[in-house]
Amino acid sequence: MSDPSEATGPTEATGATESTESPEENGTAGAAGAAGAGDGASGRRVRVVLVDDHRMFRTGVQAEIGRTEETGVEVVGEAADVDQAVTVITATRPEVVLLDVHLPGGGGVEVLRRCAGLMGDAEQPVRFLALSVSDAAEDVIGVIRGGARGYVTKTITGTDLVDSIFRVQEGDAVFSPRLAGFVLDAFASTDAPPVDEDLDRLTQREREVLRLIARGYAYKEIARQLYISVKTVESHVSAVLRKLQLSNRHELTRWATARRLV
Amino acid sequence: MPEAAAAPLVEPRPPRKLYRSSDGRWLGGVARGLAGHLGLPVVWVRLVFVGLFMADGLGALLYAAFWFFVPLGVGGVGDQKPPSLVSTETAPDGRRRLVARKPDKGQIVALLLMVVVAMVFVGNVNLGSGAKAYLLPAVLVGAGVALVWRQADNARRARWVAAGRRRRTLTLLRAVGGVLLVTAGVSGIFVLQGSAAHLGSVLQAALAVLVGITLLAGPYLVRMTQDLSEERLMRIRAQERAEVAAHVHDSVLHTLTLIQRNAENASEVRRLARAQERDLRTWLYKPEGTGKDEEDEPATVADAVRRNAAEVEDKHGVPIEVVVVGDCPLDERVGAQMQAAREAMVNAAKYGGEGGAVQVYAEVEGRTVFVSVRDRGPGFDLDAIPADRMGVRESIIGRMERNGGTARLRAVPGGGTEVELEMERVENTS
């Protein structure tokens, strides 16, 4: 259970002036983490809120990524249901929210809906990374269409999770292989003519990038494989994410129920 | 008599209850049910009933009472047995399917005895002529009621035994027969009382009353039956869910026990956890009622890839992540490709498993089926494989090429090995 009143106001997470580190990972809202002492390994910092209804899982994630001076991740709040999440996120204004898909009170999608204003904030947008045990396509596609910048499964390693958090913080998208597979499936060539050519089709390049993600390649490896820069890979993925969120292809909402049998 | 619940729940067996047997019964299943309950041969019970029948028809009364009050046997409440397992337990001839209801010897003997006894009974009844006049109608009424009851039993049983096995005409005939018999009996009594003159008007009045009641109670009755069937559906669903939950809980408990036992053996623990997770996902995201995956051959690419990955994962203890895009039915070419893919997975798990999970990607696009298997192990050089180790060359590359596909093995920049298998599907599989 978190106590948002403990949290500091929004600060730039470049490690300027903050209080002392709370060392123990005890499933409560970390008071604002320290900065004076240390920075993340590479000097980057990010303020994160954990939203998950399983306290054990929150504790685990906190233990894995919450050691601020090593990882640069600072957990500034936690929440166990939709209402709490909205309260904590509004109060602490984190840069990234790790959001469980299945939550009491309407699920991750509901949190996204009620935080839409914060997501679009020009000054300091709150970005969401969905985290789930679910493999169900409608869950995955649902949170992405709700505005999450990425989707990873809970089996992800701590290191990868930290990387994903920073990637989301920078405004990039994070696709797990499974999500890439879903997207490829959802945008698969159908007979239905696209309503909006720009949104309803993936370009050849985007398709290639997604395929490599689905095959387990890291962005760096994809870049090397396609002879493009990592930045270009990221922009392709972001473009796909945008299409995924904005396209009105009915397949996107219905595709899971009617798997295309070629 | 039901067995204990089929679901492997840790709970005491339900108390033994008396049921009438729905299998191999001749009349109401009372004798068989009792025999099962008491653990006696069914012939004995039948003989006892026949003997009692001689005693002023006491047997008939007893039988009727049992018939009326004892429910027809299936699993008790909460007993989740598939209907085909509805057994008569200790019946001497064991379980028999309803379709093949051959009358056994005991039944034939009992039938003959019944006939004989009935003859004797009718012949020996020393009643006044007045009472005798009532006997036949009464017997008729009894027969009619029995017919209709037996009918109700069948209707009840049809819910557990796959419906539609009995022809509807038979059902209808039975009902009509029962009603006719009862009507004949009742009219007989009326006529005997000399009220034949009033019979017409009595029947008319009765009919009017019946129609009135139908009109009044009709809507309620319809709604009630609808509610009932809805409730029944809900109950069946709930039972299914309970069954699923029971199965899942049981296997989770087992897995947790095994994990505690093998706590020192990290790879075993990982393997157990993975297998359980996969099981659970199959249950959660593929609601197919039973959930018992039949050991039949996979029919589509997605199925085959997932199944192979699961088996290799279990065998070698290396997690395999599977992503499938599109799907298509298997043909012989694609089947060969699936075998090659499995071989590639085995190799990846064996030689590249230290680098973490193996990533498998399968895609069906138009007529092309593409599978890639990628590990993050040390990588290996095809040319450096000793000639006696023909595994990869034969089972992957050779197999693909013999079937008109292509296989590529390559070291991935960034570590690990990737096997790419591409195959064109056989024509005319639209």
Side-chain angles (χ1 to χ4, degrees):
Chain A
M1 302 301 100
S2 89
D3 177 8
S5 63
E6 259 194 288
T8 55
T11 51
E12 287 311 310
T14 42
T17 54
E18 287 177 279
S19 60
T20 51
E21 170 76 30
S22 60
E24 75 288 353
E25 297 92 17
N26 58 358
T28 57
D39 263 0
S42 56
R44 34 178 209 178
R45 299 294 300 272
V46 60
R47 301 170 68 256
V48 174
V49 165
L50 296 181
V51 180
D52 196 302
D53 50 332
H54 297 94
R55 204 176 60 79
M56 257 172 74
F57 183 76
R58 292 203 307 270
T59 312
V61 171
Q62 171 78 280
E64 265 191 319
I65 68 172
R67 294 184 307 276
T68 311
E69 62 278 5
E70 284 171 45
T71 60
V73 175
E74 181 195 335
V75 179
V76 296
E78 294 187 15
D81 62 37
V82 171
D83 292 345
Q84 258 184 34
V86 176
T87 314
V88 173
I89 292 166
T90 314
T92 57
R93 294 302 295 274
E95 293 156 285
V96 176
V97 178
L98 287 186
L99 180 66
D100 188 13
V101 174
H102 294 286
L103 275 182
V109 177
E110 181 62 16
V111 177
L112 289 162
R113 203 182 56 76
R114 285 164 61 179
C115 292
L118 294 173
M119 268 191 264
D121 189 293
E123 282 293 303
Q124 194 203 3
V126 176
R127 296 193 170 106
F128 289 81
L129 173 59
L131 198 63
S132 173
V133 291
S134 167
D135 276 345
E138 51 271 37
D139 286 346
V140 183
I141 301 284
V143 288
I144 296 292
R145 280 179 77 82
R149 304 286 306 165
Y151 177 94
V152 291
T153 49
K154 287 186 178 176
T155 49
I156 191 169
T157 62
T159 328
D160 286 351
L161 182 56
V162 171
D163 283 351
S164 305
I165 291 171
F166 280 112
R167 191 166 289 148
V168 169
Q169 179 199 24
E170 285 154 23
D172 290 322
V174 175
F175 277 26
S176 66
R178 191 170 300 279
L179 173 56
F182 284 156
V183 177
L184 281 169
D185 231 341
F187 278 97
S189 47
T190 53
D191 302 336
V195 183
D196 182 336
E197 193 65 45
D198 283 344
L199 288 179
D200 296 352
R201 286 262 169 86
L202 297 178
T203 67
Q204 192 53 40
R205 218 29 164 180
E206 287 163 356
R207 209 179 286 277
E208 281 169 357
V209 169
L210 280 180
R211 267 203 197 103
L212 288 170
I213 294 177
R215 285 163 65 170
Y217 282 60
Y219 283 18
K220 262 201 240 86
E221 293 167 335
I222 296 172
R224 211 175 307 164
Q225 177 84 19
L226 300 177
Y227 304 107
I228 53 182
S229 70
V230 174
K231 264 280 156 251
T232 313
V233 174
E234 283 170 354
S235 67
H236 281 311
V237 179
S238 295
V240 171
L241 187 81
R242 193 177 134 267
K243 289 180 182 183
L244 195 54
Q245 288 173 343
L246 298 177
S247 169
N248 284 324
R249 278 180 67 117
H250 67 282
E251 279 86 359
L252 286 181
T253 41
R254 271 201 29 237
W255 75 283
T257 45
R259 285 295 298 265
R260 169 180 63 115
L261 208 68
V262 189
Chain B
M1 268 300 303
E3 305 248 344
L9 270 174
V10 191
E11 60 169 23
R13 285 172 67 105
R16 270 162 62 103
K17 277 186 180 168
L18 175 59
Y19 290 105
R20 287 184 291 115
S21 153
S22 62
D23 261 3
R25 59 191 187 148
W26 181 71
L27 198 57
V30 173
R32 285 183 73 92
L34 265 175
H37 187 65
L38 303 171
L40 301 169
V42 69
V43 182
W44 292 14
V45 182
R46 286 195 176 127
L47 280 174
V48 167
F49 268 118
V50 171
L52 284 173
F53 192 76
M54 312 276 250
D56 290 341
L58 181 65
L61 266 178
L62 257 180
Y63 197 96
F66 269 119
W67 196 345
F68 192 71
F69 289 112
V70 177
L72 196 59
V74 280
V77 180
D79 196 350
Q80 292 305 318
K81 282 197 292 185
S84 59
L85 287 185
V86 172
S87 71
T88 59
E89 228 185 31
T90 49
D93 52 351
R95 249 197 277 140
R96 278 168 314 134
R97 302 299 301 275
L98 209 132
V99 208
R101 267 181 61 200
K102 295 194 296 284
D104 56 2
K105 275 185 199 150
Q107 274 183 335
I108 292 170
V109 170
L111 177 59
L112 286 175
L113 272 173
M114 285 281 254
V115 172
V116 170
V117 169
M119 301 275 216
V120 172
F121 178 69
V122 173
N124 285 0
V125 172
N126 288 329
L127 293 168
S129 54
K132 209 165 191 166
Y134 280 108
L135 180 67
L136 194 64
V139 168
L140 276 181
V141 171
V145 170
L147 258 181
V148 174
W149 267 0
R150 170 96 212 219
Q151 184 59 50
D153 271 353
N154 281 334
R156 240 157 117 190
R157 198 172 69 213
R159 291 213 294 272
W160 318 309
V161 180
R165 249 188 221 152
R166 319 196 132 269
R167 287 202 303 281
R168 295 195 65 159
T169 45
L170 187 66
T171 322
L172 208 63
L173 275 178
R174 262 214 193 133
V176 169
V179 170
L180 278 180
L181 279 172
V182 173
T183 317
V186 173
S187 326
I189 289 174
F190 269 117
V191 172
L192 281 169
Q193 283 182 340
S195 53
H198 302 295
L199 186 63
S201 52
V202 167
L203 278 181
Q204 273 175 9
L207 198 69
V209 169
L210 272 178
V211 169
I213 286 176
T214 313
L215 280 178
L216 281 174
Y220 293 108
L221 280 174
V222 168
R223 194 176 314 153
M224 221 161 73
T225 46
Q226 278 174 350
D227 284 356
L228 258 177
S229 62
E230 197 170 318
E231 197 260 346
R232 192 179 304 144
L233 195 73
M234 297 296 282
R235 207 175 52 231
I236 289 171
R237 283 222 184 107
Q239 279 173 353
E240 259 175 12
R241 267 201 297 273
E243 186 189 350
V244 169
H247 169 95
V248 168
H249 293 170
D250 185 65
S251 60
V252 168
L253 282 176
H254 279 158
T255 306
L256 290 174
T257 311
L258 287 169
I259 284 178
Q260 287 174 51
R261 278 208 195 143
N262 295 296
E264 294 79 35
N265 185 343
S267 68
E268 180 65 7
V269 166
R270 211 172 294 128
R271 193 186 67 75
L272 285 166
R274 285 287 299 189
Q276 184 55 58
E277 180 189 355
R278 235 187 12 244
D279 252 19
L280 199 52
R281 285 186 189 286
T282 325
W283 279 86
L284 283 175
Y285 305 123
K286 286 194 192 133
E288 275 157 21
T290 59
K292 296 265 184 296
D293 49 344
E294 307 82 16
E295 288 305 313
D296 52 357
E297 286 301 296
T300 68
V301 167
D303 260 0
V305 171
R306 291 209 175 93
R307 194 171 300 200
N308 281 330
E311 283 166 10
V312 174
E313 191 177 73
D314 273 352
K315 204 164 154 194
H316 298 276
V318 174
I320 300 183
E321 299 288 347
V322 182
V323 175
V324 184
V325 174
D327 203 359
C328 71
L330 291 176
D331 56 36
E332 61 269 27
R333 281 196 205 164
V334 179
Q337 182 187 24
M338 291 301 123
Q339 302 247 295
R342 184 195 175 97
E343 210 56 50
M345 291 178 211
V346 171
N347 271 319
K350 268 194 196 159
Y351 305 114
E354 306 83 38
V358 172
Q359 188 75 36
V360 174
Y361 173 71
E363 180 177 40
V364 179
E365 200 181 24
R367 286 192 45 229
T368 312
V369 181
F370 172 87
V371 181
S372 105
V373 178
R374 189 233 158 115
D375 65 60
R376 293 181 172 273
F380 77 101
D381 181 1
L382 189 61
D383 302 328
I385 301 175
D388 58 341
R389 288 259 327 276
M390 293 299 283
V392 171
R393 223 166 275 164
E394 256 319 290
S395 57
I396 299 178
I397 302 176
R399 184 175 275 152
M400 287 302 286
E401 282 169 358
R402 276 196 301 279
N403 285 279
T406 55
R408 287 176 56 222
L409 272 79
R410 55 193 201 94
V412 183
T417 311
E418 181 163 52
V419 180
E420 295 179 352
L421 310 171
E422 204 162 311
M423 182 71 83
E424 290 288 308
R425 287 159 56 196
V426 178
E427 288 281 10
N428 72 38
T429 48
S430 49

